[in-house]
Amino acid sequence: MTAFAPRPVLSPEAHWALLADDAPHGDLTTESLGIGEAAGKIRFAARQDMTVAGLEDAAALLSLAGVAVSPTTRSGDRAAPGTVLLEGEGPASALHRAWKVSQTFLEIWSGVATGAQALTDAARAVRPDAIVACTRKNVPGTKRMAAAAVHAGGAVMHRLGLSETLLVFPEHRAFLPDEDLALLAKRLKVAAPEKKCVIEVLSVDEGIAAARAGFDVIQTEKFRPGDVGELARCLDTVAPRPILAAAGGITPENAGDYVHAGADVLVSSWPYTARPADIAVAIEPSGS
């Protein structure tokens, strides 16, 4: 069970918009069959091992449609196959209106959380305090849910956007080809003294130079684990020692290798491409 408060991430207005997007002019099939007033029940259950995310928002979608919901899990829980995640009762019109929206929402974000959990488990199997940080490369417009799913899976956000972090890419330095790294680090610390200065490097030598120049975090881009290990050993001779973040191509299959090599943080966007979780939904008349 996670420590954060189990509450919806999106606003009621956003939930209404999702429902309206799927049924802008009513449910033609349910209305044509004349079953809208019939009392029914709905049950969501895991078909696989998964980490739950988006449960509170799925419940809010059902509730707005007119379903009395009874959550049996919450975001951050791990669920085995067959675990009932959420139940509800209401008229058939409400059940069918919110069914696919809430199911798809829950499957997509539980998939991201399950991916983040897989990365975190792989890293912490090597070192229990290893940190997995997910990038801002989520689908545009979904940042709030992406961040919530990442946290549900035991990871943290690498950076939420451009406004709150200092991260110098080679693409920035292309506009300052003659700028000394030490001067660059000093300029950043003067401009934003309360922020950590992070730089992405493309070689071990560049990482050592950036550390000696005073950068707080050295982020490697697509280094092999052996190169991360070499840089980690060199950074041990620098005081104060900067944090070493390994980025680029980090997956559950190689996460442990990077932690073993000496990375303090694993930076990855892999969970955003994870398959949606498989969740079974059953709808039936009340009393059946």
Side-chain angles (χ1 to χ4, degrees):
M1 193 75 74
T2 55
F4 60 85
R7 59 181 182 272
V9 174
L10 302 182
S11 67
E13 292 77 15
H15 293 141
W16 275 119
L18 291 174
L19 290 173
D21 180 67
D22 195 42
H25 306 293
D27 176 354
L28 183 60
T29 305
T30 301
E31 293 167 5
S32 297
L33 292 172
I35 60 173
E37 297 301 316
K41 54 188 178 181
I42 190 169
R43 178 184 296 109
F44 294 72
R47 278 198 173 111
Q48 64 175 90
D49 288 315
M50 56 182 283
T51 298
V52 181
L55 190 285
E56 295 73 30
D57 288 88
L61 287 163
L62 288 159
S63 181
L64 279 175
V67 179
V69 295
S70 299
T72 52
T73 59
R74 70 179 190 176
S75 293
D77 286 350
R78 298 199 191 198
T83 301
V84 176
L85 309 174
L86 175 65
E87 296 178 301
E89 295 185 357
S93 59
L95 298 177
H96 282 276
R97 183 181 184 192
W99 166 22
K100 279 299 178 184
V101 177
S102 55
Q103 179 186 11
T104 305
F105 192 96
L106 189 55
E107 287 183 331
I108 289 172
W109 296 116
S110 293
V112 173
T114 301
Q117 190 74 69
L119 266 179
T120 301
D121 287 348
R124 291 180 179 172
V126 176
R127 195 179 71 237
D129 63 348
I131 297 296
V132 171
C134 293
T135 72
R136 61 188 175 93
K137 290 178 68 176
N138 55 277
V139 175
T142 67
K143 193 179 300 293
R144 292 185 66 185
M145 282 310 310
V150 163
H151 282 95
V156 300
M157 289 300 292
H158 173 52
R159 61 196 309 222
L160 288 168
L162 296 177
S163 302
E164 90 291 356
T165 51
L166 294 173
L167 173 48
V168 179
F169 286 105
E171 290 79 3
H172 292 110
R173 296 177 61 197
F175 292 91
L176 300 164
D178 300 320
E179 182 115 6
D180 178 75
L181 280 173
L183 180 59
L184 184 59
K186 182 178 180 180
R187 284 178 58 189
L188 292 172
K189 290 176 184 288
V190 169
E194 81 285 12
K195 301 293 186 181
K196 294 283 188 181
C197 291
V198 187
I199 188 169
E200 182 180 90
V201 299
L202 303 179
S203 69
V204 172
D205 288 343
E206 193 176 33
I208 296 169
R212 290 173 176 167
F215 280 89
D216 303 300
V217 182
I218 310 301
Q219 178 171 302
T220 64
E221 170 60 5
K222 295 188 184 300
F223 278 31
R224 294 171 297 181
D227 295 327
V228 170
E230 181 182 351
L231 180 55
R233 290 188 291 273
C234 293
L235 294 185
D236 287 339
T237 67
V238 178
R241 184 190 186 280
I243 293 170
L244 177 55
I250 308 294
T251 70
E253 287 70 35
N254 62 24
D257 296 333
Y258 282 96
V259 174
H260 187 265
D264 301 302
V265 179
L266 303 184
V267 179
S268 179
S269 58
W270 182 84
Y272 302 135
T273 63
R275 290 178 62 86
D278 193 0
I279 296 173
V281 177
I283 297 177
E284 55 190 5
S286 295
S288 61

